[in-house]
Amino acid sequence: MKSVVATLTIFLFTILISAQSPAETRAREIAQLINSGDRAAVRKYVAENFADQMRSIPMDRHLNFVSSEHHASRGLEVIGVQDPGVNEVTLAVRSKLTGDLFGLRVSVEPAPPHKVNGIGRRPPKPREGVSKRLSDKEIGRELEAFSKKLADADVFSGTVLLARNGQVVYKGAFGIANKDFNSPNRIDTKFNLGSMNKMFTSVAIAQLVEKGKMSFDDPLSKFIPDFPNADAAKKIQIKHLLTHTSGLGGYFSERYDGMSRERLRTVDDMMNLARADEKEIRFEPGTRWAYSNTGMLVLGKVIEVVSGQNYFDYVRDNIYKPAGMTNTDSYDLDRVNTNLAVGYDRRFTDTGIEWGNNVFSHVIRGGPQGGGYSTVEDLLKFDQALRSGKLVSSETLKILTSSKPELNSPNYGYGFQVDKEQNVAGHGGGFTGINSNLDMYLGSGWSAIVMSNYSRGAGPVQSKMKQLIDAAGN
């Protein structure tokens, strides 16, 4: 009898193993690799089990992916298969640090030995059944505990603010603003916005449109007749610049890398750099979407031409001051500026973690395309000023925060990232030592804001706030 049971057990186990798809097998191997944090094992696995296209990616990127996932999670617990498949699978995994769920997606080549040709994260699937709705106090406590857990593990450094209908549900500061002096972050610490300045630039354009001084349909040639050349300026319309569909690129080029940042303080300084690199458009305006810092910079120059003010004075007088944003500006970083966080980047090595700052890698002054500074409290003021009609009308706000599929911009409005399904608009910003985000839940009144002086530091907190907002219901 025992031998029959043993034989049956082996048979069932064999069926279970054989039922596991090649993609799931590889996904579980990747999860084990992340759990180990063993960089030598990563090198060996990549060399033996990654497809050619994956091995063409520098080894440092593979090492950094595994090391950063290990550091951020302290290991993964595999819960099961979230999305099954033969050549692609998403595992449901839980962070051992925070207990939060997410999806680990792995794809493989169809032919044996099924080498890995893709890895990435996916949002978790909603849990089945009726979950308990959380009160605002419960949400605040859970967000604080989550943020503190990340900060204590040195995964997060920054500030967090969650509000409903303009009323703060939770706000807190974590981590270090300046590691040289061990100065802690405060709730009023100013963090670099990265690309979030694009929202201010777009609102400024919308104000000028409301005043009848220009139109979203105006050609660029009406204001700047020769950028990047005369023919392209006639084709590019203001709405193309606002939606990243102009065909322009970005001016963070080799020329930028090789020049002194001290020479880039005004919009004209930045435009001169862009003129040196932008000679032609990359595609016909409105036919494709391609993120363009140069496009937003050009809008800054348009604001100067139309308003008669320099860009920085215009946004200060017409956006920051009316909204009450007293801790927001594009500061000259070679001057004395109080309470600014220094940006830091964690570098994983075979001997441990090394820290570097972004002092010499970023701009000396932000501009229309990004790089200014603000606080979570000021960003809430901006959010509320927009919603209340203090900066633009409600009709114009809808135009700014709605997607533009007719321009091949399905997930971006006029200067605002848009999640049509969730009815969320806002913008994020990222660079070495910079990661900030504002999500405006337009239907439910929630505002979720996080600013971090760590590379990719805001993501976990941003995701957590979304989960908590979902748990609150409407």
Side-chain angles (χ1 to χ4, degrees), residues 195 197-210 214-218 220 223 236-248 285-286 288-300 302-303 311 319 368-369 392 396 399-404 406-418 426-427:
S195 287
N197 282 86
K198 291 178 172 66
M199 293 186 291
F200 308 150
T201 299
S202 302
V203 170
I205 290 288
Q207 290 175 339
L208 296 171
V209 169
E210 286 190 334
M214 61 182 296
S215 164
F216 292 126
D217 294 321
D218 281 340
L220 177 58
F223 313 104
I236 298 171
Q237 295 176 291
I238 297 302
K239 62 186 178 185
H240 297 137
L241 297 167
L242 288 165
T243 54
H244 299 287
T245 61
S246 66
L248 295 173
R288 282 174 49 195
W289 191 93
Y291 197 80
S292 173
N293 280 308
T294 297
M296 283 290 171
L297 168 62
V298 170
L299 286 172
V302 170
I303 290 166
Y311 171 82
I319 296 176
Q369 72 292 342
V392 293
T396 296
I399 293 171
L400 292 174
T401 58
S402 60
S403 61
K404 302 290 183 284
E406 71 278 8
L407 298 175
N408 286 292
S409 183
N411 301 310
Y412 203 94
Y414 286 167
F416 286 78
Q417 295 167 337
V418 176
H427 216 290

Side-chain angles (χ1 to χ4, degrees), residues 68-224:
S68 61
E69 288 291 339
H70 176 80
H71 179 79
S73 66
R74 297 304 194 265
L76 305 175
E77 179 188 353
V78 178
I79 305 302
V81 177
Q82 177 171 303
D83 295 306
V86 177
N87 299 321
E88 179 175 311
V89 72
T90 299
L91 295 181
V93 298
R94 177 182 285 121
S95 164
K96 292 182 180 179
L97 175 62
T98 65
D100 269 30
L101 297 173
F102 66 92
L104 176 66
R105 182 196 64 82
V106 174
S107 60
V108 300
E109 293 180 328
H114 306 293
K115 291 190 174 184
V116 176
N117 61 13
I119 305 175
R121 274 181 171 241
R122 289 290 183 270
K125 278 192 173 179
R127 297 179 184 180
E128 295 182 358
V130 179
S131 58
K132 176 192 172 189
R133 292 207 170 173
L134 300 178
S135 68
D136 286 1
K137 285 187 177 180
E138 289 172 323
I139 286 172
R141 285 197 296 266
E142 190 165 334
L143 180 55
E144 179 177 41
F146 180 87
S147 302
K148 185 177 186 303
K149 193 173 287 186
L150 290 176
D152 288 347
D154 205 19
V155 173
F156 174 67
S157 173
T159 50
V160 183
L161 190 152
L162 184 63
R164 175 153 39 177
N165 298 321
Q167 299 300 308
V168 175
V169 172
Y170 175 77
K171 63 181 179 180
F174 304 87
I176 303 298
N178 188 314
K179 290 182 180 291
D180 291 341
F181 301 99
N182 203 34
S183 304
N185 284 317
R186 307 186 325 218
I187 198 64
D188 63 346
T189 296
K190 306 179 189 80
F191 292 84
N192 199 299
L193 289 160
S195 287
M196 295 176 74
N197 282 86
K198 291 178 172 66
M199 293 186 291
F200 308 150
T201 299
S202 302
V203 170
I205 290 288
Q207 290 175 339
L208 296 171
V209 169
E210 286 190 334
K211 292 174 183 176
K213 295 186 175 184
M214 61 182 296
S215 164
F216 292 126
D217 294 321
D218 281 340
L220 177 58
S221 59
K222 183 176 179 179
F223 313 104
I224 309 174

Side-chain angles (χ1 to χ4, degrees), residues 403-454:
S403 61
K404 302 290 183 284
E406 71 278 8
L407 298 175
N408 286 292
S409 183
N411 301 310
Y412 203 94
Y414 286 167
F416 286 78
Q417 295 167 337
V418 176
D419 183 338
K420 188 175 180 179
E421 184 177 331
Q422 299 289 325
N423 197 15
V424 177
H427 216 290
F431 189 76
T432 302
I434 299 167
N435 196 198
S436 298
N437 192 78
L438 164 65
D439 281 332
M440 302 167 55
Y441 288 74
L442 300 174
S444 60
W446 286 95
S447 307
I449 309 164
V450 56
M451 309 190 80
S452 178
N453 57 330
Y454 280 3

Side-chain angles (χ1 to χ4, degrees), residues 32-88:
Q32 290 174 1
L33 207 59
I34 290 171
N35 287 346
S36 74
D38 186 336
R39 291 167 66 87
V42 173
R43 288 188 180 92
K44 185 173 186 294
Y45 190 89
V46 168
E48 295 177 355
N49 300 298
F50 274 28
D52 290 345
Q53 68 187 62
M54 290 286 282
R55 284 190 287 108
S56 68
I57 298 171
M59 180 63 74
D60 280 349
R61 287 182 59 185
H62 297 305
L63 290 168
N64 190 63
F65 171 77
V66 173
S67 294
S68 61
E69 288 291 339
H70 176 80
H71 179 79
S73 66
R74 297 304 194 265
L76 305 175
E77 179 188 353
V78 178
I79 305 302
V81 177
Q82 177 171 303
D83 295 306
V86 177
N87 299 321
E88 179 175 311

